[in-house]
Amino acid sequence: MAGAASALFLLDIKGRVLVWRDYRGDVSAVQAERFFAKLIEKEGDPESQDPVVYDNGVTYMFIQHNNVYLMTASRQNCNAASHLLFLHRVVDVFKHYFEELEEESLRDNFVVVYELLDEMMDFGYPQYTEAKILSEFIKTDAYRMEVSQRPPMAVTNAVSWRSEGIRYKKNEVFLDVVESVNILVNSNGQIIRSDVVGALKMRTYLSGMPECKLGLNDRVLLEAQGRSTKGKAIDLDDIKFHQCVRLARFENDRTISFIPPDGSFDLMTYRLSTQVKPLIWVEAQVERHSRSRIEIMVKARSQFKERSTATNVEIELPVPSDATNPNIRTSMGSAAYAPENDALLWKIKSFPGGKEYMLRAEFSLPSITAEEGAPERKAPIRVKFEIPYFTVSGIQVCACTHD
């Protein structure tokens, strides 16, 4: 992490220091309290402010979780993003130990909190942030702390996210590719924005210290190997790996090589800025009959192959805020008026590929309206669904493991 933290502070909702750990001796708790009090007085709610603030030669970086603020302070030119990521890791560790992180849980566990802060950061540099490993030698129960004072091998090992000596009768690896598609379409049917956000989620139950390798249909790799990239290669953007991945190996030959943690974890997240055809196309036609009645006709069409099926489909249609007396008919699924959201919610449990369904709804409108009323709100139609065993990006993964 470029630039060490001078100190780490845990503050209450009013900016008073509950716990602090001084790592370098150049930022005091009094300075931190004075800064935070000034921030609250000047800016109001710190949650709505920038999480990185420079004041009198000190850079303060903070996040909020429930009624607690977590903050690092540094006099060096530091990487703010890495400090904020570390604070989120601290939250995860505290939640692992205390179930929930809040002021009361900190006050009840001062000793454990200081032990964790000592192990997680040394002289301002992050050390161990894996809750499973920390819990092997920092016990919340005093009698358990006397069982073994020897740190687990993972702490003295280069592989800090996995303990040695793990054994399973049956070795298993489960890999899921989960993708979210974000598409914005205007009223003329033109796609304004389109991107795919994906994650490779793994569950590993492997003995020993296994070496795993994954290959992707990555355009850079295929071109480097002199293989054809037509029709099956993808361009991955904004790739983020779990710390177990050997980044130098990936940069060299685009192979994802790693010794996995035990259990569930996100191996990789990625984004694709690519033009994607909407998988479920929705067309809405609105007709006003005089000023007392409005009729909405909606057509939903699935634009993926018949062998796939979308599940838990929810289509949210905006309606006038003063609409009443809904009369709704659908060719599939169920629909209900949600007046608190000024919307009509159409739910279809199963939507096979190549199908088309219709909805027709009528609403009454008040007979008296203002001559110069506010302009009508034009909210978007929102579509949410899941398609199992289907990736929009076309990403392909091949894997191998050996001990």
Side-chain angles (χ1 to χ4, degrees), residues 13 35-36 59 94 104 117 135-136 152 245 289 335 384 387:
I13 202 72
F35 157 75
F36 220 81
T59 303
F94 285 167
E104 183 179 352
L117 293 181
S135 62
E136 289 187 24
V245 175
H289 302 278
K384 186 168 66 173
I387 305 180

Side-chain angles (χ1 to χ4, degrees), residues 1-2 51-52 61 63 72 78-88:
M1 184 165 84
V52 181
M61 293 143 284
I63 64 173
T72 59
C78 58
N79 184 331
S82 61
H83 279 255
L84 294 173
L85 176 61
F86 174 75
L87 291 177
H88 283 287

Side-chain angles (χ1 to χ4, degrees), residues 61-352:
M61 293 143 284
F62 63 90
I63 64 173
Q64 182 182 6
H65 185 82
N66 292 337
N67 59 353
V68 176
Y69 288 101
L70 296 89
M71 181 172 73
T72 59
S74 177
R75 287 192 178 275
Q76 299 184 10
N77 182 15
C78 58
N79 184 331
S82 61
H83 279 255
L84 294 173
L85 176 61
F86 174 75
L87 291 177
H88 283 287
R89 292 284 182 85
V90 172
V91 170
D92 292 340
V93 170
F94 285 167
K95 287 171 69 177
H96 174 81
Y97 272 84
F98 313 140
E99 294 296 333
E100 190 51 78
L101 173 59
E102 54 188 30
E103 183 179 340
E104 183 179 352
S105 63
L106 290 176
R107 292 187 183 278
D108 291 343
N109 295 281
F110 272 135
V111 174
V112 179
V113 168
Y114 276 109
E115 284 191 76
L116 289 169
L117 293 181
D118 282 342
E119 296 297 338
M120 295 179 71
M121 182 169 274
D122 184 25
F123 200 52
Y125 294 98
Q127 301 298 308
Y128 313 110
T129 57
E130 290 288 334
K132 284 185 178 180
I133 301 303
L134 288 165
S135 62
E136 289 187 24
F137 65 104
I138 297 181
K139 311 290 186 180
T140 53
D141 297 322
Y143 75 91
R144 295 178 65 187
M145 293 186 67
E146 299 175 3
V147 174
S148 174
Q149 294 297 329
R150 189 175 72 86
M153 288 299 293
V155 173
T156 56
N157 197 351
V159 185
S160 63
W161 53 88
R162 184 180 179 91
S163 299
E164 290 188 351
I166 297 174
R167 288 287 177 267
Y168 287 101
K169 290 183 179 180
K170 183 180 180 182
N171 290 320
E172 295 179 306
V173 176
F174 300 92
L175 174 64
D176 292 314
V177 179
V178 180
E179 291 186 340
S180 300
V181 184
N182 303 306
I183 300 177
L184 184 62
V185 182
N186 66 15
S187 57
N188 297 323
Q190 296 174 321
I191 297 175
I192 299 173
R193 181 175 58 84
S194 168
D195 60 54
V196 178
V197 178
L200 266 61
K201 296 180 177 289
M202 292 194 75
R203 282 184 296 143
T204 60
Y205 306 103
L206 299 171
S207 302
M209 296 295 251
E211 179 81 24
C212 300
K213 294 181 182 178
L214 292 182
L216 305 175
N217 56 330
D218 181 19
R219 186 180 301 278
V220 176
L221 172 61
L222 296 178
E223 288 178 349
Q225 295 175 343
R227 295 160 62 185
S228 172
T229 61
K230 187 176 181 181
K232 60 180 179 181
I234 59 172
D235 294 308
L236 297 175
D237 301 322
D238 297 340
I239 302 174
K240 177 185 173 185
F241 289 112
H242 187 276
Q243 62 176 328
C244 66
V245 175
R246 295 185 176 88
L247 298 180
R249 176 75 183 273
F250 181 77
E251 290 294 332
N252 184 43
D253 61 10
R254 307 295 281 188
T255 298
I256 303 174
S257 175
F258 58 100
I259 297 175
D262 188 47
S264 303
F265 67 102
D266 283 1
L267 176 67
M268 176 182 115
T269 60
Y270 58 90
R271 182 179 63 85
L272 282 83
S273 299
T274 182
Q275 195 80 339
V276 177
K277 176 177 70 174
L279 297 174
I280 295 182
W281 184 261
V282 178
E283 295 178 6
Q285 184 177 349
V286 180
E287 289 186 14
R288 287 183 174 271
H289 302 278
S290 68
R291 291 188 176 183
S292 62
R293 189 166 61 90
I294 186 172
E295 187 175 5
I296 303 173
M297 288 165 285
V298 183
K299 183 192 300 180
R301 182 174 69 253
S302 55
Q303 300 190 128
F304 47 88
K305 294 183 179 179
E306 294 180 2
R307 65 170 179 261
S308 298
T309 300
T311 60
N312 303 320
V313 179
E314 292 186 6
I315 302 173
E316 186 178 300
L317 304 149
V319 299
S321 57
D322 53 357
T324 58
N325 302 327
N327 180 17
I328 308 166
R329 300 183 300 278
T330 66
S331 62
M332 178 61 69
S334 61
Y337 176 43
E340 68 278 7
N341 298 326
D342 296 331
L344 179 64
L345 192 60
W346 184 10
K347 294 184 178 182
I348 303 173
K349 195 169 184 180
S350 178
F351 201 141

Side-chain angles (χ1 to χ4, degrees), residues 45-66:
D45 181 13
E47 187 180 2
S48 63
Q49 306 307 318
D50 292 335
V52 181
V53 181
Y54 182 79
D55 183 70
N56 290 332
V58 181
T59 303
Y60 298 94
M61 293 143 284
F62 63 90
I63 64 173
Q64 182 182 6
H65 185 82
N66 292 337

